[in-house]
Amino acid sequence: MTTTAVINIASLVTNDPSLGDGTPLGLIRDAAVVIEGDRVIWTGESSKAPATDNAVDAGGRAVIPGFVDSHSHLLFAGDRTQEFNARMSGLPYTAGGIRTTVAATRAASDDELAANVSRYLAEAARQGTTTFETKSGYGLTVEDEARALRIAARHTEEVTYLGAHVVPPDYADDPAGYVDLVTGPMLDACAPYARWIDVFCEKGAFDGDQARAILTAGRAKGLHPRIHANQLGHGPGVQLAVELDAASADHCTHLTDADVDALAQGDTVATLLPGAEFSTRATWPDARRILDAGATVALSTDCNPGSSFTSSMPFCIALAVRDMGMTPDEALWSATAGGAAALRRTDVGSITRGARADLVLLDAPSHVHLAYRPGVPLVSAVWQRGERTL
């Protein structure tokens, strides 16, 4: 295999505290990275870089790990422009809008759904995302949930079964029957295509007992839990996530002290989704409170057609810094290494020896520009699995 060095890097974020300045970012100044195949084999000061077959001059700009987007909903058809317009005109957001997307998704062909996934993934990749998770949840029948996951599995190994998104209209009078479907025939059809199982544990969706039954059934089929928790109000989601060793509790907008303590004492990552608060004008999660307690935080886009129609991790970083109490360093770590932790991955989210060679070259001398220059397209080049894709 050929080797390639990226040299003349003004600041390299490795996310390895044993390197560079010893902070969680493991920042190395005047740095270089050497790639062989799909792996990083060396990082350090540019003057000490080993000889390689090829070299790319970073031109005194910053290099960061590729973003790890650990929460998205890309298997859908249609959009909800009218809902967004109404909400921005003063109407509150509720989970009921999901049913609009369910109808459009059920009516779409496999080719249409696959084209949508490819479109949004390409959009995210241009903004530096190199690893992503995506969910079902807009089919809500055995056939439609299974086909969504089959399509998703062609694009990523991080596939999540979310049959428990909302109770569909055809089961409105029999929510217990829908839980039986989700934990029975639907789970059987979907489990072969998924790594994770998720549930929207919220008033208007699924309560704590229903969520426990759904996640426990999924775990028995070899799927690991993650939970939509505490987005619209206080509830049992976060506590249940920690109890069941869920990889992540996602949203975490409304937390009690006991919720924060549970996150700090467990291995469940608090995944914050600022695009949802931006798009719904809801209360911002208090990232500072969670971080200061010692919990691990991830940032993700929650890209979906209803409450967070963005695929931009840089945008979410800027929101987290501006409105959620995070420092630029913390926000970048959470959008890379934090996302990897939320997927229980050690091979992505960092630039260190043995990691997958997912690199982003910024048109800026420092990663701080991601928050300092919001909305500016700073991603200049992307390497994914060692191949330059942008």
Side-chain angles (χ1 to χ4, degrees), residues 32 36 73 90 165 209 236 283 321 342 362 382:
E36 184 177 54
H73 302 250
H165 203 178
D209 290 340
T283 301
V321 171
L362 300 179
V382 177

Side-chain angles (χ1 to χ4, degrees), residues 87 92-98 165-166 200-206 228-235 237 250-255 276-277 280-283 285 302 307:
R87 190 164 64 237
Y93 168 72
T94 65
I98 292 170
H165 203 178
V166 294
F200 189 14
C201 183
E202 200 75 54
K203 185 177 180 180
F206 299 89
H228 284 61
N230 300 56
Q231 176 187 7
L232 305 179
H234 295 288
D250 297 14
H251 288 289
C252 294
T253 309
H254 300 275
L255 301 180
E277 279 71 39
T280 61
R281 290 178 173 163
T283 301
D302 191 20
S307 61

Side-chain angles (χ1 to χ4, degrees), residues 303-373:
C303 187
N304 76 83
S307 61
S308 183
F309 205 2
T310 180
S311 58
S312 175
M313 290 288 275
F315 174 64
C316 291
I317 286 172
L319 292 179
V321 171
R322 169 63 178 79
D323 292 302
M324 289 164 42
M326 300 184 83
T327 68
D329 286 9
E330 289 168 338
L332 177 61
W333 189 95
S334 294
T336 52
L343 295 175
R344 299 206 165 163
R345 297 278 294 272
T346 59
D347 60 327
V348 297
S350 63
I351 303 176
T352 189
R353 185 173 181 175
R356 203 170 78 181
D358 295 344
L359 283 65
V360 174
L361 174 65
L362 300 179
D363 192 13
S366 167
H367 65 278
V368 177
H369 282 235
L370 291 166
Y372 180 43
R373 305 195 67 208

Side-chain angles (χ1 to χ4, degrees), residues 72-76 105 110 113 117 133-164 182 185-198 223:
S72 74
H73 302 250
L74 301 184
L75 270 297
F76 68 89
T105 303
D110 288 11
L113 292 178
V117 173
E133 176 271 358
T134 199
K135 309 175 192 299
S136 64
Y138 293 124
L140 308 186
T141 67
V142 172
E143 179 182 353
D144 286 306
E145 287 293 293
R147 73 165 177 151
L149 296 176
R150 282 198 304 271
I151 293 168
R154 298 172 195 159
H155 298 275
T156 180
E157 63 268 45
E158 302 298 346
V159 177
T160 301
Y161 165 47
L162 183 59
V182 167
M186 189 183 287
L187 175 60
D188 291 340
C190 291
Y193 306 104
R195 180 184 178 200
W196 306 98
I197 184 167
D198 198 346
L223 305 183

Side-chain angles (χ1 to χ4, degrees), residues 32-346:
V33 177
V34 177
I35 300 167
E36 184 177 54
D38 66 351
R39 298 286 152 174
V40 173
I41 63 168
W42 186 90
T43 59
E45 296 177 10
S46 204
S47 61
K48 299 177 182 177
T52 58
D53 300 310
N54 304 297
V56 176
D57 190 341
R61 291 173 287 178
V63 170
I64 63 173
F67 297 122
V68 180
D69 191 347
S70 61
H71 183 126
S72 74
H73 302 250
L74 301 184
L75 270 297
F76 68 89
D79 69 24
R80 278 147 59 189
T81 304
Q82 292 181 339
E83 177 187 319
F84 176 80
N85 191 37
R87 190 164 64 237
M88 293 300 102
S89 302
L91 298 177
Y93 168 72
T94 65
I98 292 170
R99 295 178 177 88
T100 303
T101 302
V102 169
T105 303
R106 288 178 177 180
S109 68
D110 288 11
D111 287 346
E112 288 170 331
L113 292 178
N116 277 349
V117 173
S118 295
R119 171 189 172 191
Y120 297 123
L121 288 182
E123 186 178 273
R126 290 194 297 272
Q127 299 171 88
T129 297
T130 54
T131 302
F132 75 97
E133 176 271 358
T134 199
K135 309 175 192 299
S136 64
Y138 293 124
L140 308 186
T141 67
V142 172
E143 179 182 353
D144 286 306
E145 287 293 293
R147 73 165 177 151
L149 296 176
R150 282 198 304 271
I151 293 168
R154 298 172 195 159
H155 298 275
T156 180
E157 63 268 45
E158 302 298 346
V159 177
T160 301
Y161 165 47
L162 183 59
H165 203 178
V166 294
V167 176
D170 27 330
Y171 278 87
D173 296 328
D174 186 17
Y178 186 66
V179 171
D180 289 342
L181 182 71
V182 167
T183 58
M186 189 183 287
L187 175 60
D188 291 340
C190 291
Y193 306 104
R195 180 184 178 200
W196 306 98
I197 184 167
D198 198 346
V199 58
F200 189 14
C201 183
E202 200 75 54
K203 185 177 180 180
F206 299 89
D207 64 25
D209 290 340
Q210 292 169 326
R212 182 192 304 279
I214 290 163
L215 296 176
T216 301
R219 193 164 59 180
K221 282 284 187 179
L223 305 183
H224 203 88
R226 49 198 327 111
I227 307 180
H228 284 61
N230 300 56
Q231 176 187 7
L232 305 179
H234 295 288
V238 165
Q239 298 281 344
L240 182 61
V242 176
E243 176 193 331
L244 296 180
D245 188 36
S248 64
D250 297 14
H251 288 289
C252 294
T253 309
H254 300 275
L255 301 180
T256 65
D257 289 345
D259 293 332
V260 175
D261 289 344
L263 288 167
Q265 294 169 17
D267 295 325
T268 298
V269 173
T271 300
L272 308 184
L273 310 169
E277 279 71 39
F278 176 86
S279 185
T280 61
R281 290 178 173 163
T283 301
W284 295 102
D286 188 350
R288 183 79 271 134
R289 179 187 179 200
I290 302 169
L291 287 164
D292 287 349
T296 301
V297 170
L299 283 178
S300 191
T301 64
D302 191 20
C303 187
N304 76 83
S307 61
S308 183
F309 205 2
T310 180
S311 58
S312 175
M313 290 288 275
F315 174 64
C316 291
I317 286 172
L319 292 179
V321 171
R322 169 63 178 79
D323 292 302
M324 289 164 42
M326 300 184 83
T327 68
D329 286 9
E330 289 168 338
L332 177 61
W333 189 95
S334 294
T336 52
L343 295 175
R344 299 206 165 163
R345 297 278 294 272
T346 59

